[in-house]
Amino acid sequence: MLAAAHLLRFVTAPLARHIHMSRPASAKVAVVLSGCGVYDGSEVHEASAVMVHLSRGGADVAVFAPDVDQMHVINHTKGEPSDEKRNVLVESARIARGKIAALSTLDVGGHDAVILPGGFGAAKNLCTFAVDGPDCKVNPEVEKTIKSFHEAKKPIGLCCIAPVLAAKLIPGCSVTVGNDLEEGGRWPYAGTAGAVGKMGATHIRRDVNEVYVDTENKIVTTPAFMCETKLHEIYDGVGHMVKEVLDMV
């Protein structure tokens, strides 16, 4: 009986090693946040949807944020500015459950893709689009990150307002922020599509549960909360974006 058990270990151990070695490596994806809260940071539902879909897709995720002060702090119960000061990295750590690093430490060579959720923080803390529109300036670390992934021909995913970053930094790219018409309030930020064009990019109309894939530049975008709609539709659209990003890795 002992001899049989020994033989079984001898036969199965090499097989187990072979199976383990044949599994594809997980995609290593960097997620860049801009705070915590729709009006002054990352949109929490979008960020959470990104993380859930990456987890389901088997990705190895690392979360980053710039170590800078927020443009301002919004009282989310009133939609009004408060007198507080908050740090983008510290606030983003709430979403990342504390597992986060400063964006300055992101090594593009160690990651296969990058995803930037939306929320007004993307337009206030990652760049100045919320104030300056097409004439906005991008945070230097954010600019370096996006340009480095693009130059390395690695996929970039963006949702909601975040595609304006690609429009500003990658000349001639194509993105979607949803629709250029408000359609009775369904697309309250429809004017953003025009700003995309003014920055030298092309805007492509897509519904909330759809994505646009710029295959040449490896940029995947989806409207998310640029649309006034139900939460599950946001979740589904973000899921499509994540899948397309992972398929490009």
Side-chain angles (χ1 to χ4, degrees):
M1 198 165 177
L2 286 173
H6 177 73
L7 179 61
L8 181 62
R9 286 198 298 271
F10 177 78
V11 171
T12 59
L15 178 61
R17 285 197 296 271
H18 174 73
I19 292 173
H20 175 74
M21 291 172 65
S22 66
R23 290 175 184 169
S26 298
K28 297 183 183 300
V29 181
V31 175
V32 179
L33 301 180
S34 60
C36 182
V38 57
Y39 298 129
D40 57 14
S42 291
E43 210 296 320
V44 176
H45 297 292
E46 291 179 14
S48 178
V50 166
M51 303 292 278
V52 169
H53 286 294
L54 285 173
S55 175
R56 181 167 288 148
D60 183 4
V61 180
V63 185
F64 300 87
D67 187 3
V68 297
D69 286 340
Q70 294 183 183
M71 186 187 104
H72 60 186
V73 177
I74 297 293
N75 180 332
H76 279 59
T77 65
K78 298 179 179 180
E80 299 174 353
S82 72
D83 294 332
E84 300 176 63
K85 276 193 174 184
R86 295 190 183 184
N87 177 277
V88 175
L89 177 62
V90 172
E91 291 301 297
S92 298
R94 296 174 181 273
I95 297 174
R97 297 174 60 84
K99 297 178 180 178
I100 193 168
L103 185 58
S104 59
T105 68
L106 195 162
D107 175 17
V108 175
H111 296 83
D112 301 306
V114 65
I115 294 179
L116 295 90
F120 278 100
K124 293 178 176 180
N125 304 328
L126 303 188
C127 70
T128 64
F129 183 83
V131 176
D132 300 322
D135 297 322
C136 66
K137 295 180 180 179
V138 180
N139 171 282
E141 292 173 0
V142 176
E143 179 173 356
K144 179 183 177 183
T145 297
I146 291 176
K147 285 185 174 180
S148 295
F149 273 90
H150 181 249
E151 290 166 3
K153 301 187 184 306
K154 295 182 177 182
I156 302 168
L158 310 105
C159 61
C160 193
I161 192 68
V164 300
L165 293 163
K168 184 68 177 180
L169 297 173
I170 302 174
C173 72
S174 298
V175 301
T176 188
V177 289
N179 206 319
D180 55 350
L181 301 174
E182 291 192 11
E183 293 188 347
R186 186 168 186 261
W187 299 95
Y189 310 106
T192 306
V196 165
K198 289 179 180 178
M199 289 188 284
T202 300
H203 181 260
I204 308 295
R205 282 188 185 180
R206 285 291 183 270
D207 207 347
V208 65
N209 58 352
E210 298 176 325
V211 301
Y212 181 74
V213 181
D214 180 340
T215 53
E216 181 179 350
N217 290 296
K218 289 195 170 183
I219 299 171
V220 186
T221 50
T222 191
F225 273 112
M226 297 298 277
C227 182
E228 191 65 38
T229 189
K230 295 179 179 179
L231 180 59
H232 74 273
E233 293 188 311
I234 307 296
Y235 181 88
D236 291 345
V238 171
H240 291 318
M241 177 194 69
V242 170
K243 182 180 184 302
E244 291 290 346
V245 167
L246 292 178
D247 284 349
M248 284 185 177
V249 170

